[in-house]
């Protein structure tokens, strides 16, 4: 347990009948961190958040908040607050009354309440809106009121249960940036759960990728993206091409892969445990693929593919490709380098070996 940690969990387990929803989860979240738990529906992330909030109890393992064991502490006595997807603002109360609700329960004097409400409204960008009704506000403003209602209580941890899920796409993109700014402004430790990789990657200092009740990898967003530890992380975080094949040669720090269909790819960075004859999967990010090498003096992996089609995708073009019966795509800039490529046209792809990953015995 780190001495500067706001949250530590040690080997948490939670079972329901014959299913283990949280399976030996340990984590250490430093103070002031935006920590996200990312995973598909049913992976256990909501159950884990309920354990942290005190709405449920672990079958084994421990939860510590600022060094204090929380297993037997009631939810209302934990230094924790929670923002839900559906906000749960009181429609018959004003914005100020909604924010004051928790302060009243804590018996904070009226003068102190007014001061703290004014301060938190200023911090969340809603000054002077204390007397408004929540129904008069936009979706983004209501979201900020829900955050203010929690943050005014000055919790050690703010738990956020997919709070952007009910917003439209444009507002969700805006709120991702605002949430990150608010977290830094308040300095509160956020624990955020989501199935949306974009939310986790944009906002977080650390991300835990969860699958089947366990963490596959815990790392900063850039590390997850560039150096996934498992095939699941490689496929779940960001767009990725996946090509199946067999390891035909391992030499020093490189490996050669024969793809299903016979195409060979050499010069790949070796991964632990790879041996000739093993089935393996090659993962390559679409933006790593080049039609023409742009880096000189660097060893590149190469592959010949056929163009299927090209699609306009804003600032980039998505070029659909086929190699040995398997499909992949490249994300290329709108510089005209691909415009003459017709369907079936063979092209040479290249990429830096460090930008691809090979996993032995990869699973779906």
């Amino acid at each position: 347990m780190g001495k500067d940690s706001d949250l530590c969990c040690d080997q948490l387990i939670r079972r329901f009948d014959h299913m283990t929803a949280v399976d030996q989860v340990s984590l250490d979240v430093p103070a002031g961190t935006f920590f996200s738990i990312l995973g598909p529906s049913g992976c256990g992330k909501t159950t884990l958040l309920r354990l942290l909030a005190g709405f449920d109890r672990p079958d084994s393992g421990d939860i510590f908040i600022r060094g204090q064991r929380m297993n037997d502490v009631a939810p209302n006595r934990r230094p924790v607050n929670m923002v839900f997807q559906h906000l749960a603002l009181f429609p018959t109360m004003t914005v100020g009354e909604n924010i004051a609700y928790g302060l009243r329960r804590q018996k904070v004097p009226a003068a102190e309440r007014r001061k703290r409400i004014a301060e938190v409204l200023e911090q969340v960008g809603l000054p002077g809106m204390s007397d408004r009704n929540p129904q008069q506000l936009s979706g983004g403003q209501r979201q900020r009121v829900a955050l203010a209602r929690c943050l005014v209580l000055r919790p050690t941890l703010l738990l956020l249960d997919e709070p952007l899920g009910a917003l439209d796409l444009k507002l969700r993109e805006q709120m991702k940036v605002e949430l990150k700014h608010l977290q830094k402004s308040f300095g509160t430790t956020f624990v955020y759960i989501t199935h949306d990789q974009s939310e986790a990657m944009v906002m977080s200092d650390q991300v835990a990728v969860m699958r089947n009740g366990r963490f596959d990898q815990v790392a900063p967003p850039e590390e997850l993206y560039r150096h996934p530890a498992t095939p699941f992380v490689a496929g779940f975080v960001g767009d990725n091409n996946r090509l199946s094949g067999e390891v035909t040669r391992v030499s020093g720090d490189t490996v050669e892969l024969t793809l299903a269909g016979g195409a060979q790819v050499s010069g790949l960075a070796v991964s632990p445990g790879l041996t000739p004859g093993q089935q393996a999967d090659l993962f390559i990010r679409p933006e790593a693929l080049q039609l023409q090498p742009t880096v000189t003096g660097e060893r590149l992996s190469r592959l010949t593919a056929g163009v299927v089609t090209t699609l306009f995708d804003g600032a980039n073009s998505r070029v659909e490709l086929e190699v040995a019966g398997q499909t992949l795509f490249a994300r290329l800039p709108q510089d005209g380098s691909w415009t003459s490529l017709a369907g079936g046209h063979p092209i040479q792809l290249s990429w830096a070996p460090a930008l691809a990953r090979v996993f032995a015995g990869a699973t779906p």
Side-chain angles (χ1 to χ4, degrees):
M1 185 190 306
K3 64 178 181 179
D4 297 323
S5 298
D6 271 353
L7 171 66
C8 288
C9 297
D10 182 30
Q11 295 291 302
L12 287 183
I13 296 176
R14 182 68 176 106
R15 299 185 183 92
F16 297 97
D17 296 325
H18 301 294
M19 182 192 74
T20 303
V22 175
D23 189 4
Q24 301 182 66
V25 165
S26 296
L27 59 90
D28 192 327
V29 182
T33 297
F34 198 125
F35 185 91
S36 289
I37 301 168
L38 171 66
S41 297
C43 72
K45 57 188 186 293
T46 296
T47 299
L48 177 56
L49 206 70
R50 288 176 55 81
L51 295 175
L52 301 181
F55 300 145
D56 197 2
R57 290 172 57 90
D59 293 300
S60 63
D62 294 302
I63 300 168
F64 297 90
I65 298 177
R66 287 194 176 169
Q68 300 298 309
R69 188 173 183 271
M70 291 285 132
N71 290 42
D72 301 316
V73 178
N76 64 331
R77 296 192 176 277
R78 297 187 183 198
V80 168
N81 223 313
M82 193 162 181
V83 179
F84 298 93
Q85 184 177 36
H86 297 292
L87 303 185
L89 296 176
F90 299 112
T92 59
M93 294 183 181
T94 65
V95 166
E97 288 167 343
N98 266 279
I99 296 172
Y101 182 78
L103 297 174
R104 287 180 180 275
R105 291 180 64 102
Q106 291 183 353
K107 303 189 185 306
V108 175
E112 176 68 12
R113 286 202 306 270
R114 288 192 295 271
K115 177 185 174 185
R116 285 169 63 173
I117 290 167
E119 287 175 349
V120 77
L121 283 172
E122 183 75 33
Q123 285 180 284
V124 299
L126 298 174
M129 291 196 178
S130 182
D131 294 330
R132 295 275 190 93
N133 186 282
Q135 304 306 311
Q136 298 174 299
L137 305 181
S138 68
Q141 289 172 326
R142 288 196 295 273
Q143 186 80 56
R144 282 182 273 170
V145 172
L147 288 165
R149 184 175 60 179
C150 294
L151 291 167
V152 76
L153 299 173
R154 299 169 182 169
T156 298
L157 299 180
L158 185 62
L159 309 178
L160 301 103
D161 186 3
E162 306 211 44
L164 307 186
L167 303 180
D168 63 52
L169 178 60
K170 185 174 181 179
L171 186 53
R172 195 158 63 242
E173 292 299 311
Q174 177 186 336
M175 285 304 301
K176 284 192 292 191
V177 177
E178 289 195 18
L179 266 178
K180 180 67 173 178
H181 288 328
L182 285 171
Q183 189 269 331
K184 291 301 180 187
S185 173
F186 281 88
T188 305
T189 300
F190 280 21
V191 178
Y192 187 101
I193 70 166
T194 182
H195 66 276
D196 186 320
Q197 54 171 290
S198 174
E199 290 179 9
M201 300 295 276
V202 167
M203 296 187 291
S204 310
D205 300 308
Q206 292 277 321
V207 181
V209 180
M210 194 170 190
R211 177 173 63 120
N212 297 332
R214 294 192 171 196
F215 290 162
D216 263 35
Q217 187 174 1
V218 182
E222 186 174 347
E223 183 177 338
L224 284 179
Y225 191 84
R226 297 187 181 280
H227 305 290
T230 68
F232 177 77
V233 176
F236 191 75
V237 176
D239 292 326
N240 225 330
N241 293 298
R242 175 175 174 172
L243 299 172
S244 299
E246 180 180 308
V247 177
T248 49
R249 187 168 60 91
V250 178
S251 177
D253 62 350
T254 64
V255 62
E256 181 181 88
L257 196 66
T258 299
L259 302 180
Q264 290 189 324
V265 190
S266 60
L268 299 167
V270 71
S271 297
L274 289 176
T275 57
Q278 271 188 309
Q279 293 299 305
D281 283 349
L282 167 64
F283 289 85
I284 319 168
R285 298 287 181 192
E287 66 273 15
L289 294 169
Q290 304 172 34
L291 291 185
Q292 298 294 333
T294 58
V295 181
T296 58
E298 182 179 1
R299 183 186 66 195
L300 298 174
S301 294
R302 301 177 190 276
L303 184 65
T304 299
V307 176
V308 177
T309 188
T310 59
L311 301 171
F312 178 77
D313 189 20
N316 299 302
S317 290
R318 177 183 170 111
V319 182
E320 304 283 348
L321 303 156
E322 184 271 337
V323 56
Q326 302 186 67
T327 59
L328 68 159
F329 74 97
R331 188 176 288 121
L332 302 172
Q334 295 278 17
D335 59 5
S337 62
W338 52 268
T339 53
S340 62
L341 301 178
H345 191 290
I347 61 171
Q348 181 102 81
L349 298 172
S350 61
W351 64 90
L355 299 180
R357 298 283 288 173
V358 181
F359 291 101
T363 55

